[in-house]
């Protein structure tokens, strides 16, 4: 079966997570992704957080599946010559170097356009144009500068970063969308363009509800769905941290379930959606609340949310998180168990859907990785292993660029590859 991006060739100059998450998506959709790495070293994540000595780490394998690896010394004149040929043969170039690195290598945007006018040049940077554009950024820095950390955590605690990699992989997702959009436009114009996805911008895009709340706060001075309102606490001039409160108009909270004393994940997220308030009252044994003017409307409930959730929690503590979910789903009450990574890894439905995949690697053996979160009915993803360092150097240089076996051996002897 053909793939959505069959025929698209991507020159992957990325490393660590933000860039590789983008190019892995493109590879999953069928693009031929050629990852360029330093001879003898490769992507730094090959050696980071290793669980098996001398073998590519899970950090690397889970971000670089379905790619080809070429080793190339781009500081060597012959290496630059090879890189120029690769640029001519590719449709997309993706990089997440520090600001100005490509220019210093001699491959400015203007030079890339000279070599390939149709090239889509995609970049991840920490910040967009402005006072911070030359600063280096990592995941947690992006979360802090994009509005996530200041609005995550509890009101009486410090700013908190999320376990979800919204700065790195979140930016990679945004960049991948930019790449396919630019490719689509290039079909009509015949010209490439630059695509920029700053990490700060991507995090802010995922925190848009907090920017919404900042404007609401400035206009009204309060936000009734936040726990501070129910506690009678004053709001400051910036969106506060709201613990586990829902980010929307339907109040929610994480509640203890049976076994919480010994299981750190025996919890369920429970949303008191207005449309199912009556069934909620029935389930928890508070049927009188459905008609009591002090509880029957959302406006009446907002000042009492803390005590309402405490009452609901008395019910959830009598059920396991899965028992509670089964009961609540029968009444269409929005909820979800707090799943540990162990539970997720062993979830049969995630295996069946291809969201979690077992891959066989030539050196480390079988391991679990995430599959494509985006399912295309006519372009299914088949997740393969990540490449060994330089595994496809000879193949790419000969079949794609036309170098002879003698040329390749000479470059290897001169440490160009």
């Amino acid at each position: 079966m053909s793939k959505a991006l069959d025929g698209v060739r991507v020159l992957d100059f990325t490393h660590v997570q933000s860039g590789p998450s983008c190019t892995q998506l493109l590879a999953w959709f069928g693009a031929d992704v050629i990852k360029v790495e330093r001879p003898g070293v490769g992507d730094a994540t090959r050696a980071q957080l290793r669980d098996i000595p001398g073998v590519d780490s899970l950090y690397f394998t889970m971000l670089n599946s379905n790619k080809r690896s070429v080793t190339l010394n781009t500081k060597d004149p012959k290496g630059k010559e090879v890189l120029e040929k690769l640029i001519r043969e590719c449709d997309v170039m993706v990089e997440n170097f520090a600001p100005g690195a490509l220019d210093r290598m001699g491959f400015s945007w203007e030079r890339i356009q000279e070599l390939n006018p149709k090239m889509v040049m995609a970049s991840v940077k920490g910040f967009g144009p402005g006072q911070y554009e030359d600063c280096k950024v990592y995941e947690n820095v992006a979360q802090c500068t994009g509005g996530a950390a200041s609005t995550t955590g509890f009101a009486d605690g410090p700013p908190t970063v999320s376990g979800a990699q919204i700065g790195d992989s979140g930016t990679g997702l945004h960049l991948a969308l930019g790449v396919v959009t630019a490719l689509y436009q290039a079909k009509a114009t015949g010209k490439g363009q630059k695509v920029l996805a700053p990490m700060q911008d991507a995090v802010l895009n995922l925190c848009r509800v907090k920017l919404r709340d900042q404007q609401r706060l400035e206009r009204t001075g309060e936000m009734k769905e936040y726990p501070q309102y129910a506690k009678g606490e004053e709001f400051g001039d910036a969106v506060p941290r709201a613990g586990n409160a829902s980010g929307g108009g339907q109040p929610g909270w994480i509640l203890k379930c049976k076994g919480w004393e010994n299981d750190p994940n025996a919890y369920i997220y429970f949303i008191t959606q207005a449309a199912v308030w009556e069934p909620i009252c029935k389930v928890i044994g508070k049927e009188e609340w459905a008609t009591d003017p002090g509880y029957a409307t959302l406006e009446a409930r907002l000042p009492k949310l803390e005590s309402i959730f405490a009452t609901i929690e008395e019910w959830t503590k009598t059920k396991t998180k899965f028992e509670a979910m089964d009961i609540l789903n029968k009444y269409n009450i929005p909820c979800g168990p707090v799943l540990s990574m162990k539970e997720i890894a062993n979830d049969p439905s995630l295996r069946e859907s291809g969201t979690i995949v077992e891959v066989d690697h030539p050196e480390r053996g079988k391991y679990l990785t995430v599959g494509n979160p985006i399912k295309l009915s006519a372009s299914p993803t088949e997740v393969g292993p990540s490449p060994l360092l330089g595994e496809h150097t000879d193949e790419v240089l000969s079949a794609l660029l036309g170098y002879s076996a003698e040329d390749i051996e000479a470059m290897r002897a001169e440490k160009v590859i």
Side-chain angles (χ1 to χ4, degrees):
M1 183 180 290
S2 64
K3 304 294 184 182
L5 294 181
D6 275 351
V8 174
R9 188 172 292 121
V10 178
L11 185 56
D12 184 359
F13 250 116
T14 70
H15 56 286
V16 191
Q17 185 177 171
S18 60
S21 63
C22 167
T23 52
Q24 180 169 253
L25 271 175
L26 300 177
W28 281 342
F29 287 130
D32 176 17
V33 176
I34 301 171
K35 185 177 180 75
V36 178
E37 303 183 74
R38 287 185 297 164
V41 179
D43 190 316
T45 58
R46 286 185 183 269
Q48 288 180 1
L49 306 178
R50 273 181 171 149
D51 57 318
I52 302 175
V55 174
D56 287 339
S57 72
L58 289 168
Y59 195 2
F60 178 83
T61 62
M62 293 177 71
L63 284 160
N64 290 281
S65 57
N66 295 52
K67 302 178 184 180
R68 297 200 281 175
S69 171
V70 168
T71 52
L72 184 65
N73 179 4
T74 57
K75 294 181 179 180
D76 186 282
K78 290 185 179 179
K80 290 182 185 295
E81 177 187 301
V82 173
L83 180 54
E84 288 184 354
K85 290 187 176 183
L86 282 169
I87 290 172
R88 290 191 179 98
E89 294 295 330
C90 291
D91 306 288
V92 180
M93 182 173 178
V94 187
E95 61 90 19
N96 62 335
F97 290 122
L102 272 181
D103 287 357
R104 291 191 293 273
M105 287 169 57
F107 291 93
S108 64
W109 169 236
E110 291 74 22
R111 177 57 180 152
I112 290 170
Q113 282 184 303
E114 289 176 2
L115 295 169
N116 185 350
K118 293 184 179 180
M119 175 68 80
V120 171
M121 176 68 188
S123 302
V124 171
K125 293 291 178 277
F127 299 95
Q131 58 182 328
Y132 303 122
E133 64 181 308
D134 293 329
C135 298
K136 185 182 289 186
V137 172
Y138 282 88
E139 168 66 43
N140 291 345
V141 175
Q143 290 195 34
C144 289
T145 59
S150 67
T151 55
T152 301
F154 288 85
D156 58 354
T160 304
V161 296
S162 167
Q165 303 292 284
I166 60 175
D168 277 327
S169 287
T171 304
L173 282 164
H174 285 82
L175 188 65
L177 176 59
V179 167
V180 295
T181 304
L183 282 172
Y184 186 82
Q185 187 174 14
K187 284 188 174 183
T189 65
K191 296 180 179 180
Q193 61 183 294
K194 290 194 292 184
V195 179
L196 173 65
M199 294 171 72
Q200 181 187 39
D201 298 28
V203 171
L204 178 57
N205 187 45
L206 298 174
C207 293
R208 68 178 68 186
V209 297
K210 299 302 182 181
L211 183 58
R212 172 203 68 190
D213 289 350
Q214 179 63 37
Q215 295 170 88
R216 291 172 57 221
L217 180 62
E218 291 173 359
R219 186 176 297 276
T220 66
E222 62 183 15
M223 292 178 289
K224 295 181 179 180
E225 78 279 13
Y226 275 62
Q228 287 84 349
Y229 177 79
K231 294 178 180 179
E233 297 174 358
E234 281 192 25
F235 285 85
D237 60 0
V239 174
R241 292 182 276 286
N244 291 315
S246 170
Q250 307 296 336
W253 202 255
I254 289 181
L255 305 177
K256 297 172 182 174
C257 290
K258 187 176 182 179
W260 67 272
E261 300 93 340
N262 300 310
D263 181 355
N265 295 300
Y267 291 83
I268 192 168
Y269 199 91
F270 193 112
I271 297 178
T272 57
Q273 185 184 18
V276 290
W277 177 243
E278 188 173 339
I280 290 172
C281 297
K282 180 179 180 180
V283 166
I284 67 173
K286 286 288 186 179
E287 293 182 79
E288 67 274 15
W289 280 3
T291 55
D292 185 334
Y295 292 88
T297 66
L298 176 60
E299 285 297 317
R301 291 191 293 274
L302 287 174
K304 308 180 184 74
L305 283 179
E306 190 171 2
S307 63
I308 288 172
F309 281 122
T311 300
I312 297 172
E313 189 172 63
E314 290 305 308
W315 177 81
T316 60
K317 286 196 293 186
T318 67
K319 314 291 180 187
T320 69
K321 60 190 178 184
F322 298 110
E323 290 171 343
M325 186 178 182
D326 287 342
I327 293 168
L328 296 171
N329 279 340
K330 292 175 183 177
Y331 293 92
N332 203 29
I333 298 169
C335 64
V338 174
L339 296 179
S340 69
M341 275 298 157
K342 184 175 181 179
E343 289 169 324
I344 290 171
N346 294 310
D347 189 316
S349 64
L350 295 178
R351 298 290 188 97
E352 290 174 13
S353 68
T355 300
I356 292 181
V357 183
E358 185 176 76
V359 177
D360 197 4
H361 187 272
E363 291 185 347
R364 68 175 300 119
K366 293 182 178 179
Y367 66 96
L368 292 183
T369 188
V370 294
N372 195 339
I374 305 163
K375 322 299 189 197
L376 300 185
S377 62
S379 181
T381 297
E382 299 168 7
V383 178
S386 59
L388 300 177
L389 180 60
E391 180 180 350
H392 305 95
T393 302
D394 290 22
E395 174 184 295
V396 170
L397 265 61
S398 60
L400 179 62
L401 303 184
Y403 285 101
S404 67
E406 292 77 14
D407 292 334
I408 294 171
E409 284 307 310
M411 283 191 280
R412 182 166 284 113
E414 296 170 14
K415 298 183 178 180
V416 176
I417 58 176

